[in-house]
Amino acid sequence: METSLQAANTPASSSLISLSTSDLVVISLYFLLVLAIGLYLKRKIKASDDFFFAGKGVGSWVAGLSFVAANLGTLELLGWSASAYQYGMLAVHWYWIGAVPAMLFLGIVMIPFYYVSKAHSVPGYLMLRYGEGSRRLSAISFAVMTVLMSGINMYSMAVVMKVILGWDIHFSILVSTITVGVYVALGGLLSAIVNEVVQFVLIWAGTLAIPVFGLIETGGWSGMVARIAQRSPTQDYTHIWRNMGAAADNPMGVHWTGIVFGLGFIGAFGYWTTDFLVVQRVMAARDLRAARIATTIGAAFKMLLPAIVILPGLLGLAVLPMRLTGEAEALRTGGHSFNEVMPLMMARYLGPGFLGIGVTALIAGFMSGMAGNISAFATVWTYDIHKPVFNRLADDAQCLRVGRWCTVIGLAASIGAAYLVMQFASIMDYVQALFGFFIIPLFGTVILGMLWKRATPAGGFWGLLAGTLSSILLWLVVKLNPAALAILALSADAQPMAENLYRFIWSWLVCMIVTVIVSLATKPKPDSELQGLVYGLADMPTEAGIPFYRRSTFAAIVVAVFFLALNLIFW
């Protein structure tokens, strides 16, 4: 434990521990591996479908692991372990109620629509359902969001390098950017998917030792809970539902309505069913049945991720000798911030050799997040902005060239976004704000279009625009007048994450209400133009003739049962 204490007391401005030769070898081999994968898969990229959709030849397990790995970057590892330290077990909601039901819904309900409509992307579906105006608005907003998210991933990686290695932030951004750019530009989505599966395994290998050694040190789960209670007697950090009867009873300052409706329904369904970054992975599956099973596989693994993401943050509450603070206070005092809990725990438990695996896991997570954003940006820009706006006659070869150039442009813009993110205090609070701006209104527009044939092109466009602008406006109101938080989040005790959840609810309602009002006042499309785009007018495929235990719905039910059991166990 001598190394641990030395690491814990190291000033925030210097590295926590030195890498051994074996650590450097592991990291170097990883960089060589991802570049080799990109070079190898370049030979398989013959057409634009190969680059953007991996030729739709990916199996269920690969697509499923990539589906969840696209959401498991360094941003997730740093951000949600930080949120676990800040909010306790409530952070688990983003992995369980904030993910699993929506992922299963995607496979059972939404993916068949995307396949039947033959849309290349979510903006592509909006074009078919509502028209070009809605498609352009959603494509532009999504492109902006992916660049901002890529910048956050870059910033997350810089935090890791600063805390563990003491590397210069500009150098770490440059090296990682070049690596991601090369393998995505060469191999497209197929390269990103293969690397995401490799990275998923590496992340587990590099981080699993933290909860194992941490629970050994604290004497198991009950010992950890006792230590947390002793250190923080006024807050309940170790339950997920019983402390949500009132906002003042939990560290997040959120009522159960915010979790159930703001996160569990609006936020989760919006992200997992309409964010093209993750939907693109499932759509790369070889057929519809493989895609539906892939979402179930992804949901099953998603339930397990709190063991390596949330638990390190909880263990940090129990064992770290210092008290972590917000980013602004940490910079002012020279201490450590919430965002640094994961690298602090790695420095505490991982010795020579193992530290190299751990750092590689974080680098892998960064690569995964960056590759996902950049490949999604290239696809949406090429199919939903460049081709319909600038060159309607673009052939397949030109689309492929534009996609590769978009990779370079997206990476360059992401570097600028990384420096912008450095001006904000909290990683995950900022990320959730971005989702509120761009994803939540999109979900309202898509779900109304799928379920209500009376929704019109004008309704879809103005509803999406109103939802997006209302979310940004509500965010600005609270920033300019903090007293408005009590009205927006229904409690003056609400922390930034709770504020995000209630802003999800209000902006989604604005989108839905405006869409309905405008649709009722304008002329809808005839049924003949909505075939395959609206429930009741789509010839949906079935699983008739397949044994019940091999059906995607049966697998989804099994996962749902485990999901309910976990919520009851940690109630």
Side-chain angles (χ1 to χ4, degrees):
M1 195 59 65
E2 181 180 357
T3 302
S4 303
L5 294 176
Q6 289 174 347
N9 292 311
T10 302
S13 58
S14 62
S15 64
L16 287 171
I17 197 166
S18 297
L19 290 180
S20 66
T21 302
S22 59
D23 296 324
L24 294 174
V25 169
V26 170
I27 296 172
S28 300
L29 287 175
Y30 171 73
F31 276 99
L32 292 174
L33 174 63
V34 296
L35 291 175
I37 290 174
L39 288 169
Y40 172 75
L41 294 178
K42 183 179 185 296
R43 298 181 300 175
K44 298 181 178 294
I45 307 302
K46 307 297 184 183
S48 61
D49 261 6
D50 299 326
F51 185 82
F52 294 113
F53 301 101
K56 289 190 178 294
V58 178
S60 299
W61 279 93
V62 173
L65 290 178
S66 176
F67 177 45
V68 71
N71 187 247
L72 183 62
T74 303
L75 172 62
E76 289 286 309
L77 294 172
L78 265 65
W80 284 118
S81 60
S83 293
Y85 186 97
Q86 188 177 2
Y87 302 123
M89 280 284 287
L90 293 183
V92 169
H93 284 305
W94 272 258
Y95 285 84
W96 291 350
I97 194 172
V100 175
M103 295 168 84
L104 298 179
F105 181 81
L106 171 66
I108 295 172
V109 177
M110 302 285 274
I111 284 297
F113 264 110
Y114 292 141
Y115 264 79
V116 169
S117 68
K118 294 181 170 57
H120 283 93
S121 62
V122 176
Y125 172 79
L126 291 182
M127 187 274 292
L128 296 171
R129 177 62 182 86
Y130 291 109
E132 194 62 45
S134 296
R135 191 255 285 273
R136 291 182 185 178
L137 176 59
S138 64
I140 292 171
S141 65
F142 180 81
V144 171
M145 188 189 76
T146 53
V147 168
L148 292 174
M149 290 295 295
S150 295
I152 297 171
N153 273 283
M154 286 184 177
Y155 172 70
S156 301
M157 195 65 228
V159 169
V160 173
M161 296 307 182
K162 180 194 77 170
V163 174
I164 291 185
L165 308 177
W167 283 8
D168 178 76
I169 187 171
H170 311 293
F171 177 74
S172 64
I173 286 176
L174 179 63
V175 171
S176 301
T177 300
I178 291 174
T179 306
V180 172
V182 169
Y183 82 72
V184 174
L186 291 174
L189 178 62
L190 181 58
S191 179
I193 287 176
V194 172
N195 272 294
E196 281 164 359
V197 174
V198 173
Q199 290 153 7
F200 185 80
V201 175
L202 281 173
I203 287 170
W204 274 93
T207 57
L208 188 59
I210 295 174
V212 171
F213 290 137
L215 289 176
I216 291 174
E217 180 182 354
T218 58
W221 177 266
S222 59
M224 181 193 72
V225 170
R227 288 198 188 194
I228 294 175
Q230 183 180 12
R231 288 185 165 199
S232 306
T234 61
Q235 287 285 4
D236 182 356
Y237 284 95
T238 54
H239 295 96
I240 63 174
W241 289 110
R242 69 176 63 179
N243 57 356
M244 294 179 58
D249 294 341
N250 59 78
M252 194 177 290
V254 64
H255 187 258
W256 66 267
T257 54
I259 294 293
V260 172
F261 297 108
L263 174 64
F265 174 56
I266 297 172
F269 279 66
Y271 176 74
W272 289 103
T273 65
T274 62
D275 187 337
F276 186 59
L277 188 154
V278 292
V279 174
Q280 184 190 34
R281 269 76 190 138
V282 181
M283 292 176 67
R286 60 174 172 261
D287 54 38
L288 176 57
R289 182 171 177 273
R292 298 178 77 172
I293 293 175
T295 63
T296 305
I297 292 171
F301 278 101
K302 189 71 174 179
M303 287 192 296
L304 302 177
L305 287 178
I308 60 171
V309 180
I310 304 300
L311 193 48
L314 292 175
L315 286 165
L317 281 170
V319 303
L320 288 179
M322 79 289 283
R323 187 70 182 178
L324 307 186
T325 64
E327 193 74 35
E329 184 177 347
L331 291 173
R332 186 175 64 252
T333 62
H336 292 286
S337 73
F338 301 134
N339 296 328
E340 297 173 11
V341 66
M342 178 64 83
L344 283 169
M345 298 300 287
M346 292 178 70
R348 185 180 185 89
Y349 293 122
L350 303 184
F354 287 103
L355 182 62
I357 298 175
V359 173
T360 302
L362 292 180
I363 294 174
F366 163 78
M367 299 294 184
S368 175
M370 277 295 299
N373 280 291
I374 293 303
S375 61
F377 170 81
T379 303
V380 169
W381 183 272
T382 302
Y383 280 103
D384 298 306
I385 298 177
H386 173 78
K387 190 169 183 177
V389 176
F390 299 109
N391 189 353
R392 293 179 179 272
L393 301 178
D395 58 17
D396 189 80
Q398 186 175 22
C399 286
L400 181 57
R401 286 195 300 272
V402 170
R404 284 189 164 132
W405 273 110
C406 281
T407 300
V408 178
I409 295 170
L411 284 167
S414 299
I415 293 174
Y419 288 97
L420 175 65
V421 173
M422 292 177 196
Q423 310 306 313
F424 292 83
S426 172
I427 293 177
M428 289 316 299
D429 292 342
Y430 178 59
V431 169
Q432 295 300 304
L434 289 181
F435 288 158
F437 298 160
F438 301 116
I439 295 297
I440 302 307
L442 179 61
F443 172 59
T445 304
V446 170
I447 202 67
L448 262 183
M450 287 185 171
L451 300 180
W452 189 42
K453 70 177 184 178
R454 185 65 178 76
T456 66
F461 175 83
W462 290 108
L464 180 58
L465 181 62
T468 300
L469 293 179
S470 66
S471 182
I472 296 173
L473 179 62
L474 289 172
W475 181 79
L476 287 173
V477 166
V478 173
K479 291 299 177 186
L480 297 175
N481 180 23
L485 177 64
I487 300 174
L488 173 68
L490 309 182
S491 171
D493 298 308
Q495 299 300 307
M497 194 65 76
E499 174 197 338
N500 286 325
L501 296 181
Y502 282 98
R503 191 170 58 251
F504 289 176
I505 296 174
W506 297 125
S507 61
W508 185 77
L509 288 174
V510 168
C511 173
M512 298 288 280
I513 291 170
V514 170
T515 302
V516 169
I517 291 175
V518 175
S519 293
L520 292 175
T522 54
K523 183 179 179 180
K525 286 185 174 183
D527 288 1
S528 59
E529 295 183 19
L530 299 177
Q531 297 296 318
L533 300 173
V534 181
Y535 254 106
L537 297 176
D539 185 16
M540 304 304 293
T542 67
E543 295 184 319
I546 299 176
F548 78 92
Y549 56 87
R550 295 188 60 192
R551 296 181 184 181
S552 58
T553 50
F554 175 76
I557 291 171
V558 172
V559 171
V561 169
F562 278 98
F563 161 75
L564 292 173
L566 286 172
N567 277 270
L568 291 174
I569 291 170
F570 293 97
W571 185 273

